Amino acid sequence: QVQLVESGGGLVQAGGSLRLSCAASGRAFSSYVMGWFRRAPGKEREFVGAISRLGGMTDYADSVKGRFTISRDNAKNTVYLQMNSLKPEDMAVYYCAAGSNYRGAYDYWGQGTQVTVSS
């Protein structure tokens, strides 16, 4: 079992930056691919990006490529989502998840953190 807790959400102006964190507890953090997802009001949950178990590879949705960066610190059991050049359409609840494939099914989910982008 893995417990995930996101933090770092908040209100930011368009063009600004935020860094989300996801702290994990439970089974070996480094054995999981970690992903970030988001759900905007009235929309389905969408994949944002993912990072490999040791952090050497990442995968991003086209909508965030070049603006968002995922990193992880396995010593701290934490994965990060650095979001730059934020746009109003990035406003959503952001979730981290632990799994075994970048864009496959994920086994464990956090409860989410709200990101609000004002124009």
Side-chain angles (χ1 to χ4, degrees):
Q1 193 80 356
V2 175
Q3 292 79 41
L4 302 172
V5 178
E6 302 94 337
S7 62
L11 173 64
V12 63
Q13 287 189 332
S17 298
L18 276 177
R19 187 175 84 155
L20 306 183
S21 299
C22 172
S25 59
R27 292 186 59 188
F29 176 69
S30 60
S31 67
Y32 292 97
V33 169
M34 296 300 297
W36 284 96
F37 294 77
R38 66 187 182 187
R39 178 176 282 151
K43 295 187 177 181
E44 293 189 354
R45 185 178 65 200
E46 66 170 335
F47 172 81
V48 173
I51 188 166
S52 61
R53 292 169 178 81
L54 298 182
M57 293 194 298
T58 52
D59 182 26
Y60 297 97
D62 288 344
S63 58
V64 307
K65 203 171 290 185
R67 299 187 298 122
F68 289 12
T69 303
I70 297 174
S71 60
R72 67 190 295 164
D73 185 340
N74 286 346
K76 296 182 178 179
N77 286 2
T78 302
V79 62
Y80 304 97
L81 178 65
Q82 177 67 44
M83 305 185 293
N84 298 329
S85 302
L86 282 161
K87 305 175 181 180
E89 52 262 43
D90 294 317
M91 183 164 61
V93 177
Y94 283 72
Y95 302 87
C96 68
S100 54
N101 294 291
Y102 286 172
R103 303 200 185 204
Y106 281 73
D107 301 310
Y108 303 101
W109 293 83
Q111 293 193 330
T113 185
Q114 175 72 48
V115 171
T116 301
V117 183
S118 63
S119 56

